[in-house]
Amino acid sequence: MATKRMFTMKIVDSDAFLDMPLSTQCLYFHLNMRADDDGFIGNPKRIMKVVGSSEDDLKLLIMKKFVLSFEDGVIVIKHWRMHNTLSQNRYHATQYLDEKSMLMIKENGSYSLSAGRYIDDSKLIESSKRQSRREKDGNETDSDLGIGIDIDQGKDLGKDQDEDLFYKSCPESESTESGQKVISLILNDKSFHDVYQKDIDKWTELYPAVDIIQELRKMVGWLDSNPTKRKTKRGISRFINNWLASAQDKGGNQNQKYAGQYQSQTSQMLDQSYEMMSEWARKKEMEEHDNDN
């Protein structure tokens, strides 16, 4: 499977795409980057978890038909063949053959479940003479590196630590000599900065309005999407603290929770005041009645 992908501006610059929330747009790009050579993704929920997206983001992509879904949870990028053209020498057919057999293709190259003609890969996969020359000369380019790596199937990624981010950054607790490891952030040298439960406990006290785990997941997605802006071993701690401080200043993730608690307390105070006024009025009325008698 190729490790480089393309996008057509006809899709990502359209009003329908740009009107979606940024988190939904981000998920779309990550799904495209991890799709196989036919545009299929077998683990969309895992990708959502890593980049910090929600199920609503995926539902919106399905509703607006940027992705098509199947009953078994597999999805396919609707405009995949408008985005990407692969040479025959680089193309690896999808393993989701049953799902692919359900697809048709429209005149503009987009997938459809209900209209178009049956897919003929011999007409849609571009043959590249330049690729043949590279193989003949034995010169391997950046675009050839990692061909055959299937991220969706979790195959051995060898020394490609950049792709290994997809697995190491999942927030599954792991016990080490330094304590319980919760998540890992990739650095500029492709090593990882491990975050432990004791770190999260400390940040929870410093930034009480912030969902620390959720913000760390967002950091994982940001670092994955911005390889040129990844931090050094000395700079990663400042990066984390600046990120969390910014989230705290914006009100944090628990703003609504605190607002609800405040409203509840205010309502209780008003009820108590009303009862006290009612009791005072009853006593006043009884005193006036006794005086009249």
Side-chain angles (χ1 to χ4, degrees):
M1 187 183 80
T3 57
K4 290 188 176 182
R5 298 304 185 195
M6 296 178 289
F7 297 91
T8 175
M9 292 296 289
K10 292 181 180 179
I11 302 302
V12 299
D13 201 37
S14 64
D15 288 342
F17 184 82
L18 296 176
D19 284 343
M20 295 190 299
L22 291 178
S23 59
T24 308
Q25 297 180 37
C26 175
L27 177 60
Y28 181 76
F29 286 118
H30 277 280
L31 291 173
N32 274 266
M33 289 304 299
R34 291 173 171 83
D36 64 23
D37 289 347
D38 283 304
F40 286 88
I41 303 105
N43 58 348
K45 291 186 177 180
R46 187 171 66 178
I47 297 174
M48 287 164 45
K49 184 177 181 181
V50 170
V51 303
S53 298
S54 66
E55 290 190 9
D56 289 339
D57 292 318
L58 181 59
K59 289 178 180 177
L60 184 57
L61 288 174
I62 295 173
M63 183 186 70
K64 300 192 75 169
K65 297 184 178 180
F66 284 100
V67 302
L68 304 177
S69 62
F70 300 90
E71 292 183 357
D72 57 0
V74 175
I75 64 173
V76 65
I77 306 298
K78 178 179 175 64
H79 306 100
W80 178 258
R81 293 184 185 242
M82 296 174 65
H83 289 314
N84 294 278
T85 303
L86 294 177
S87 68
Q88 291 178 340
N89 294 323
R90 295 180 57 200
Y91 170 74
H92 290 74
T94 183
Q95 64 171 332
Y96 303 109
L97 299 179
D98 292 339
E99 289 81 2
K100 185 176 179 180
S101 66
M102 299 169 61
L103 292 176
M104 305 182 79
I105 194 161
K106 294 183 177 181
E107 290 297 324
N108 64 356
S110 64
Y111 287 136
S112 173
L113 291 169
S114 59
R117 63 180 185 276
Y118 290 104
I119 297 175
D120 182 358
D121 284 336
S122 64
K123 296 180 180 180
L124 294 173
I125 302 173
E126 182 185 67
S127 178
S128 172
K129 293 182 179 179
R130 289 181 298 176
Q131 175 71 14
S132 298
R133 286 199 298 270
R134 284 199 299 267
E135 291 186 352
K136 183 177 180 180
D137 296 338
N139 296 324
E140 188 180 53
T141 66
D142 290 341
S143 61
D144 298 322
L145 295 176
I147 295 175
I149 295 177
D150 190 342
I151 295 176
D152 286 343
Q153 291 306 300
K155 292 182 180 178
D156 184 10
L157 301 179
K159 298 180 180 179
D160 192 348
Q161 287 184 302
D162 198 17
E163 293 292 344
D164 197 36
L165 164 68
F166 192 82
Y167 302 98
K168 290 192 67 175
S169 59
C170 292
E172 297 177 355
S173 298
E174 178 182 337
S175 296
T176 67
E177 294 180 357
S178 302
Q180 188 180 48
K181 184 172 69 176
V182 179
I183 202 169
S184 298
L185 305 178
I186 192 169
L187 303 176
N188 64 339
D189 61 357
K190 295 188 178 181
S191 63
F192 288 86
H193 174 78
D194 296 330
V195 176
Y196 299 92
Q197 185 60 48
K198 63 179 182 181
D199 299 319
I200 293 175
D201 294 340
K202 177 184 66 176
W203 292 326
T204 300
E205 293 181 4
L206 293 174
Y207 311 106
V210 178
D211 185 337
I212 303 298
I213 294 295
Q214 180 62 23
E215 292 303 319
L216 287 170
R217 289 171 179 166
K218 292 179 182 179
M219 294 180 210
V220 169
W222 189 89
L223 293 169
D224 186 23
S225 303
N226 297 273
T228 61
K229 298 181 180 180
R230 291 171 184 166
K231 309 305 174 183
T232 63
K233 292 181 180 180
R234 295 181 60 183
I236 189 65
S237 295
R238 182 172 60 181
F239 168 76
I240 295 173
N241 278 284
N242 287 344
W243 184 298
L244 296 177
S246 177
Q248 175 77 17
D249 293 341
K250 292 177 182 178
N253 310 91
Q254 303 180 26
N255 212 21
Q256 295 181 351
K257 174 183 175 182
Y258 294 147
Q261 292 177 349
Y262 175 78
Q263 291 174 356
S264 177
Q265 294 173 356
T266 303
S267 177
Q268 291 177 1
M269 293 175 63
L270 289 173
D271 289 342
Q272 292 174 357
S273 298
Y274 178 78
E275 291 177 0
M276 292 174 62
M277 292 176 65
S278 298
E279 182 65 23
W280 179 85
R282 284 195 299 269
K283 290 181 178 180
K284 188 69 173 177
E285 183 179 357
M286 291 178 63
E287 291 176 357
E288 292 178 350
H289 179 73
D290 293 339
N291 291 334
D292 291 341
N293 292 334

